[in-house]
Amino acid sequence: MVNLSSIDSYIHKQALVAALINMVINPLLAFYINRSVDSVAFSGIIIDTIITSIVMTWLVTVFSAADINRQLHAGSFKNENLPHPGPVLSRLPRRGLLLGTVLFIFTVLIMMILTILISSLFGIKELSAEKLALFKLIYTGPVAYFVARMAILRQL
């Protein structure tokens, strides 16, 4: 059983919540927005992925950073040995707004490369609304989880 009062379990729980929320909201939005079209062209998939990466990453970062800062100010983890952000994260901005901007730039670049590679590998030129929603279900969870972890760790 995981000790829910530890910083590690807090980070995991917060990142998991961010992942699950995004795995529900993003596919539903994708389906709702595209439900009346037969298929979404590759250019539409790229635009959707860019917009999702920007908005999702920025919001997850801002909310995650704000929540851990509230917890730290409240003294929730004062007896804990807090992890250090490491050499890469420690060079990033600490403020949630700026950190979110930096992280969404990296997320967009990574997701564009992966989307183009996957579409090239499988010959995908378009997706139905259902398949676009499935695509977003698959990638938004791991991205949100990773971004939330990075945002929290940067604050420590």
Side-chain angles (χ1 to χ4, degrees), residues 79-95:
N79 294 330
E80 296 254 357
N81 186 13
L82 299 177
H84 297 286
V88 175
L89 277 178
S90 64
R91 289 192 172 107
L92 297 180
R94 180 170 259 159
R95 291 189 52 216

Side-chain angles (χ1 to χ4, degrees), residues 11 14 28 39 43 54 59 86 93-94 121 124 132 137 149:
I11 294 169
Q14 292 302 109
L28 287 175
S39 63
S43 60
I54 291 170
L59 288 174
R94 180 170 259 159
L121 185 64
I124 298 170
L132 179 60
L137 173 77
R149 283 188 62 85

Side-chain angles (χ1 to χ4, degrees), residues 41-78:
F42 182 69
S43 60
I45 296 167
I46 293 292
I47 291 167
D48 184 89
T49 303
I50 291 170
I51 292 169
T52 299
S53 296
I54 291 170
V55 173
M56 176 185 66
T57 300
W58 193 79
L59 288 174
V60 167
T61 301
V62 168
F63 285 115
S64 296
D67 190 61
I68 187 63
N69 285 331
R70 271 192 302 277
Q71 297 295 327
L72 291 169
H73 285 39
S76 299
F77 303 110
K78 65 180 171 184

Side-chain angles (χ1 to χ4, degrees), residues 109-151:
L109 292 173
I110 291 167
M111 287 311 303
M112 287 300 81
I113 291 168
L114 289 175
T115 302
I116 292 167
L117 285 174
I118 289 170
S119 64
S120 296
L121 185 64
F122 294 107
I124 298 170
K125 293 184 178 27
E126 62 185 20
L127 291 174
S128 66
E130 294 86 3
K131 288 183 180 175
L132 179 60
L134 178 62
F135 173 62
K136 290 181 88 165
L137 173 77
I138 292 168
Y139 89 83
T140 57
V143 170
Y145 184 91
F146 182 72
V147 166
R149 283 188 62 85
M150 290 182 64

